[in-house]
mmCIF file with all atom_site columns, all heavy atoms in Angstrom:
data_model
loop_
_atom_site.group_PDB
_atom_site.id
_atom_site.type_symbol
_atom_site.label_atom_id
_atom_site.label_alt_id
_atom_site.label_comp_id
_atom_site.label_asym_id
_atom_site.label_entity_id
_atom_site.label_seq_id
_atom_site.pdbx_PDB_ins_code
_atom_site.Cartn_x
_atom_site.Cartn_y
_atom_site.Cartn_z
_atom_site.occupancy
_atom_site.B_iso_or_equiv
_atom_site.pdbx_formal_charge
_atom_site.auth_seq_id
_atom_site.auth_comp_id
_atom_site.auth_asym_id
_atom_site.auth_atom_id
_atom_site.pdbx_PDB_model_num
ATOM 1  N N   . THR A 1 18 ? 14.106 -99.602  89.300 1.00 31.00 ? 109 THR A N   1
ATOM 2  C CA  . THR A 1 18 ? 15.204 -99.948  88.388 1.00 31.00 ? 109 THR A CA  1
ATOM 3  C C   . THR A 1 18 ? 14.742 -99.884  86.929 1.00 31.00 ? 109 THR A C   1
ATOM 4  O O   . THR A 1 18 ? 13.791 -100.558 86.522 1.00 31.00 ? 109 THR A O   1
ATOM 5  C CB  . THR A 1 18 ? 15.830 -101.328 88.761 1.00 31.00 ? 109 THR A CB  1
ATOM 6  O OG1 . THR A 1 18 ? 16.250 -101.309 90.028 1.00 31.00 ? 109 THR A OG1 1
ATOM 7  C CG2 . THR A 1 18 ? 16.904 -101.729 87.793 1.00 31.00 ? 109 THR A CG2 1
ATOM 8  N N   . VAL A 1 19 ? 15.435 -99.051  86.121 1.00 31.00 ? 110 VAL A N   1
ATOM 9  C CA  . VAL A 1 19 ? 15.129 -98.870  84.757 1.00 31.00 ? 110 VAL A CA  1
ATOM 10 C C   . VAL A 1 19 ? 16.076 -99.560  83.934 1.00 31.00 ? 110 VAL A C   1
ATOM 11 O O   . VAL A 1 19 ? 17.279 -99.261  84.000 1.00 31.00 ? 110 VAL A O   1
ATOM 12 C CB  . VAL A 1 19 ? 15.030 -97.323  84.402 1.00 31.00 ? 110 VAL A CB  1
ATOM 13 C CG1 . VAL A 1 19 ? 14.611 -97.135  82.991 1.00 31.00 ? 110 VAL A CG1 1
ATOM 14 C CG2 . VAL A 1 19 ? 14.024 -96.690  85.362 1.00 31.00 ? 110 VAL A CG2 1
ATOM 15 N N   . LEU A 1 20 ? 15.593 -100.474 83.053 1.00 31.00 ? 111 LEU A N   1
ATOM 16 C CA  . LEU A 1 20 ? 16.535 -101.218 82.176 1.00 31.00 ? 111 LEU A CA  1
ATOM 17 C C   . LEU A 1 20 ? 16.512 -100.602 80.765 1.00 31.00 ? 111 LEU A C   1
ATOM 18 O O   . LEU A 1 20 ? 15.374 -100.732 80.058 1.00 31.00 ? 111 LEU A O   1
ATOM 19 C CB  . LEU A 1 20 ? 16.149 -102.712 82.242 1.00 31.00 ? 111 LEU A CB  1
ATOM 20 C CG  . LEU A 1 20 ? 16.218 -103.389 83.593 1.00 31.00 ? 111 LEU A CG  1
ATOM 21 C CD1 . LEU A 1 20 ? 15.772 -104.882 83.371 1.00 31.00 ? 111 LEU A CD1 1
ATOM 22 C CD2 . LEU A 1 20 ? 17.629 -103.394 84.155 1.00 31.00 ? 111 LEU A CD2 1
ATOM 23 N N   . ALA A 1 21 ? 17.642 -100.200 80.307 1.00 34.00 ? 112 ALA A N   1
ATOM 24 C CA  . ALA A 1 21 ? 17.707 -99.574  78.992 1.00 34.00 ? 112 ALA A CA  1
ATOM 25 C C   . ALA A 1 21 ? 17.839 -100.744 78.054 1.00 34.00 ? 112 ALA A C   1
ATOM 26 O O   . ALA A 1 21 ? 18.627 -101.643 78.159 1.00 34.00 ? 112 ALA A O   1
ATOM 27 C CB  . ALA A 1 21 ? 18.860 -98.601  78.851 1.00 34.00 ? 112 ALA A CB  1
ATOM 28 N N   . SER A 1 22 ? 17.142 -100.716 76.880 1.00 31.00 ? 113 SER A N   1
ATOM 29 C CA  . SER A 1 22 ? 17.250 -101.722 75.900 1.00 31.00 ? 113 SER A CA  1
ATOM 30 C C   . SER A 1 22 ? 18.562 -101.452 75.110 1.00 31.00 ? 113 SER A C   1
ATOM 31 O O   . SER A 1 22 ? 19.001 -100.403 74.790 1.00 31.00 ? 113 SER A O   1
ATOM 32 C CB  . SER A 1 22 ? 16.105 -101.652 74.903 1.00 31.00 ? 113 SER A CB  1
ATOM 33 O OG  . SER A 1 22 ? 14.850 -101.763 75.563 1.00 31.00 ? 113 SER A OG  1
ATOM 34 N N   . PRO A 1 23 ? 19.289 -102.495 74.655 1.00 30.00 ? 114 PRO A N   1
ATOM 35 C CA  . PRO A 1 23 ? 20.463 -102.454 73.942 1.00 30.00 ? 114 PRO A CA  1
ATOM 36 C C   . PRO A 1 23 ? 20.188 -101.810 72.588 1.00 30.00 ? 114 PRO A C   1
ATOM 37 O O   . PRO A 1 23 ? 19.050 -102.100 72.001 1.00 30.00 ? 114 PRO A O   1
ATOM 38 C CB  . PRO A 1 23 ? 21.019 -103.801 73.819 1.00 30.00 ? 114 PRO A CB  1
ATOM 39 C CG  . PRO A 1 23 ? 19.754 -104.759 74.078 1.00 30.00 ? 114 PRO A CG  1
ATOM 40 C CD  . PRO A 1 23 ? 18.896 -103.965 74.930 1.00 30.00 ? 114 PRO A CD  1
ATOM 41 N N   . PRO A 1 24 ? 21.056 -101.122 72.015 1.00 29.00 ? 115 PRO A N   1
ATOM 42 C CA  . PRO A 1 24 ? 20.843 -100.468 70.635 1.00 29.00 ? 115 PRO A CA  1
ATOM 43 C C   . PRO A 1 24 ? 20.829 -101.577 69.567 1.00 29.00 ? 115 PRO A C   1
ATOM 44 O O   . PRO A 1 24 ? 21.472 -102.609 69.757 1.00 29.00 ? 115 PRO A O   1
ATOM 45 C CB  . PRO A 1 24 ? 22.109 -99.517  70.527 1.00 29.00 ? 115 PRO A CB  1
ATOM 46 C CG  . PRO A 1 24 ? 23.122 -100.144 71.430 1.00 29.00 ? 115 PRO A CG  1
ATOM 47 C CD  . PRO A 1 24 ? 22.352 -100.845 72.607 1.00 29.00 ? 115 PRO A CD  1
ATOM 48 N N   . ALA A 1 25 ? 20.209 -101.159 68.418 1.00 26.00 ? 116 ALA A N   1
ATOM 49 C CA  . ALA A 1 25 ? 20.262 -102.177 67.384 1.00 26.00 ? 116 ALA A CA  1
ATOM 50 C C   . ALA A 1 25 ? 21.629 -102.369 66.795 1.00 26.00 ? 116 ALA A C   1
ATOM 51 O O   . ALA A 1 25 ? 21.919 -103.458 66.385 1.00 26.00 ? 116 ALA A O   1
ATOM 52 C CB  . ALA A 1 25 ? 19.270 -101.541 66.261 1.00 26.00 ? 116 ALA A CB  1
ATOM 53 N N   . SER A 1 26 ? 22.430 -101.376 66.790 1.00 27.00 ? 117 SER A N   1
ATOM 54 C CA  . SER A 1 26 ? 23.836 -101.539 66.359 1.00 27.00 ? 117 SER A CA  1
ATOM 55 C C   . SER A 1 26 ? 24.623 -100.592 67.232 1.00 27.00 ? 117 SER A C   1
ATOM 56 O O   . SER A 1 26 ? 24.108 -99.631  67.736 1.00 27.00 ? 117 SER A O   1
ATOM 57 C CB  . SER A 1 26 ? 23.973 -101.257 64.905 1.00 27.00 ? 117 SER A CB  1
ATOM 58 O OG  . SER A 1 26 ? 23.625 -99.883  64.652 1.00 27.00 ? 117 SER A OG  1
ATOM 59 N N   . ALA A 1 27 ? 25.933 -100.918 67.449 1.00 26.00 ? 118 ALA A N   1
ATOM 60 C CA  . ALA A 1 27 ? 26.765 -100.160 68.299 1.00 26.00 ? 118 ALA A CA  1
ATOM 61 C C   . ALA A 1 27 ? 28.183 -100.048 67.592 1.00 26.00 ? 118 ALA A C   1
ATOM 62 O O   . ALA A 1 27 ? 28.511 -100.895 66.805 1.00 26.00 ? 118 ALA A O   1
ATOM 63 C CB  . ALA A 1 27 ? 26.850 -100.775 69.611 1.00 26.00 ? 118 ALA A CB  1
ATOM 64 N N   . ALA A 1 28 ? 28.785 -98.911  67.943 1.00 30.00 ? 119 ALA A N   1
ATOM 65 C CA  . ALA A 1 28 ? 30.156 -98.695  67.361 1.00 30.00 ? 119 ALA A CA  1
ATOM 66 C C   . ALA A 1 28 ? 31.090 -98.475  68.443 1.00 30.00 ? 119 ALA A C   1
ATOM 67 O O   . ALA A 1 28 ? 30.733 -98.023  69.550 1.00 30.00 ? 119 ALA A O   1
ATOM 68 C CB  . ALA A 1 28 ? 30.166 -97.545  66.349 1.00 30.00 ? 119 ALA A CB  1
#
Side-chain angles (χ1 to χ4, degrees):
T109 300
V110 181
L111 299 178
S113 299
S117 61

